[in-house]
């Protein structure tokens, strides 16, 4: 091999190595971001969920981002950022839904566990918490992959409009939906109703203090009142928001983040709780 050929091989090898090196994933880095904001049930302030995780970006060819060690914490503050107060330290897992029932003195916080299970906790204003329920993981879900998914898409816990009760709504098996009513102060179950269904369902509280179950296409609905027979009703005008605490206040103001800043915008009655 002459000197010219040797030089060409060396240069090409360097290019190949450099090309491979450009696709080597970066190290894990810790990232923090505002993930969710909801109004207190009385609209006096807001609860903010901050999400923290380690991320690692993939090679230049795919641009994927891997995440691990997800944690979240809860803050409350006024809309302008004043009066901020930390409710919890960092809690394990990605957060899901949050309800800020200020008048009753607690939050309901959903955590998304790594095995597909979900847990719902009641958290007090001082940060103390108590488990409400942890749902089955993927291996123990009620419907197998070869069965039609009839019932609730995901189990959920929703506080009543006044915060005095909780409704735990889930599918005990394919084709059935159960609503468990709990006293919010002690988490004791005081009623349990199960009905068979032939379509996937969704749920909301009504301002008058009962749960509405409606089919996803909104062609059928039932009124589920604690300690009373269920009643077939006209499907509601809307399902969301499902209770008095959500991204939309009772005064019909939606709150959300623009960058790191909280902003609001007016929305119609059909976007606020009570539109049912």
């Amino acid at each position: 091999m002459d000197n010219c050929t040797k030089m060409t091989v060396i240069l090409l090898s360097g290019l190949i190595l450099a090309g491979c090196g450009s696709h080597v994933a970066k190290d894990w880095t810790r990232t923090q971001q505002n993930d969710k904001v909801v109004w207190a049930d009385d609209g006096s302030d807001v609860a903010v969920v901050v999400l923290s995780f380690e991320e690692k970006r993939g090679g230049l060819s795919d641009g994927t981002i891997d995440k691990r060690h997800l944690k979240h914490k809860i803050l409350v503050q006024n809309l302008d950022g004043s009066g901020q107060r930390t409710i919890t330290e960092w809690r394990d897992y990605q957060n899901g839904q949050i309800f800020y029932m200020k008048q009753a003195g607690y939050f309901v916080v959903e955590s998304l566990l790594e095995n597909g299970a979900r847990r719902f906790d009641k958290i007090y204003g001082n940060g103390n918490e108590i488990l409400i329920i942890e749902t089955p993981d993927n291996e123990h879900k009620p419907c197998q992959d070869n069965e039609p998914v009839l019932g609730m898409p995901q189990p959920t816990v929703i506080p009543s409009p006044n915060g005095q009760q909780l409704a735990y709504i889930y599918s005990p098996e394919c084709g059935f939906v159960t609503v468990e009513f709990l006293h919010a102060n002690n988490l004791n179950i005081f009623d349990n109703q199960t009905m068979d269904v032939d379509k996937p369902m969704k749920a909301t509280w009504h301002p008058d203090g009962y749960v509405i179950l409606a089919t996803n296409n909104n062609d059928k609905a039932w009124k589920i009142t604690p300690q009373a027979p269920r009643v077939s009703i006209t499907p509601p005008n809307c399902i969301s928001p499902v209770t008095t605490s959500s991204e939309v206040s009772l005064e019909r103001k939606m709150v959300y983040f623009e960058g790191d800043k909280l902003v609001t915008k007016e929305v119609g009655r059909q976007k606020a709780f009570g539109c049912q």
Side-chain angles (χ1 to χ4, degrees), residues 73-251:
K73 66 178 178 180
I74 301 166
L75 316 170
V76 296
Q77 64 179 60
N78 297 320
L79 197 60
D80 62 4
S82 64
Q84 188 176 91
R85 181 165 61 92
T86 299
I87 300 298
T88 70
E89 299 301 323
W90 290 108
R91 306 177 72 243
D92 288 336
Y93 307 117
Q94 164 82 55
N95 56 284
Q97 291 189 101
I98 177 173
F99 301 103
Y100 179 15
M101 311 309 293
K102 184 176 182 178
Q103 296 178 95
Y106 68 89
F107 306 78
V108 170
V109 181
E110 178 187 27
S111 299
L112 310 180
L113 280 60
E114 295 170 352
N115 59 359
R118 295 164 184 259
R119 62 174 289 156
F120 297 87
D121 293 284
K122 176 184 176 183
I123 301 179
Y124 297 91
N126 61 5
N128 291 339
E129 58 184 86
I130 182 171
L131 175 67
I132 301 170
I133 192 73
E134 183 172 320
T135 68
D137 59 23
N138 289 333
E139 293 183 3
H140 301 90
K141 60 185 179 180
C143 289
Q144 301 303 314
D145 291 338
N146 61 347
E147 294 179 305
V149 180
L150 298 178
M152 297 302 296
Q154 294 292 349
T156 186
V157 174
I158 312 173
S160 63
N162 63 8
Q164 299 305 306
Q165 301 172 10
L166 302 174
Y168 172 40
I169 308 163
Y170 65 101
S171 295
E173 58 182 290
C174 287
F176 291 87
V177 171
T178 294
V179 181
E180 290 183 359
F181 292 99
L182 299 79
H183 293 296
N185 61 344
N186 57 20
L187 303 186
N188 287 337
I189 299 172
F190 66 94
D191 191 32
N192 183 316
Q193 301 189 31
T194 299
M195 60 181 287
D196 59 315
V197 296
D198 57 6
K199 295 180 180 180
M201 306 292 288
K202 49 191 176 182
T204 182
W205 278 93
H206 188 276
D208 291 339
Y210 56 84
V211 168
I212 297 174
L213 290 179
T215 55
N216 279 358
N217 62 359
N218 215 36
D219 65 342
K220 296 180 182 179
W222 292 265
K223 174 182 178 181
I224 313 294
T225 304
Q227 299 174 328
R230 70 176 181 267
V231 178
S232 177
I233 60 173
T234 301
N237 295 322
C238 68
I239 286 293
S240 180
V242 297
T243 192
T244 45
S245 173
S246 74
E247 292 86 355
V248 180
S249 71
L250 298 181
E251 286 72 35

Side-chain angles (χ1 to χ4, degrees), residues 15-61:
L15 287 172
I16 292 170
L17 289 173
C20 292
S22 65
H23 291 272
V24 174
K26 296 180 180 179
D27 293 335
W28 292 97
T29 57
R30 175 62 63 175
T31 300
Q32 186 172 307
Q33 64 186 41
N34 294 318
D35 187 70
K36 189 177 288 289
V37 56
V38 296
W39 289 99
D41 57 344
D42 63 359
S44 59
D45 58 359
V46 297
V48 174
V49 183
V50 182
L51 181 65
S52 174
F53 53 90
E54 292 181 358
E55 67 175 5
K56 181 171 66 173
R57 297 182 181 275
L60 296 178
S61 60

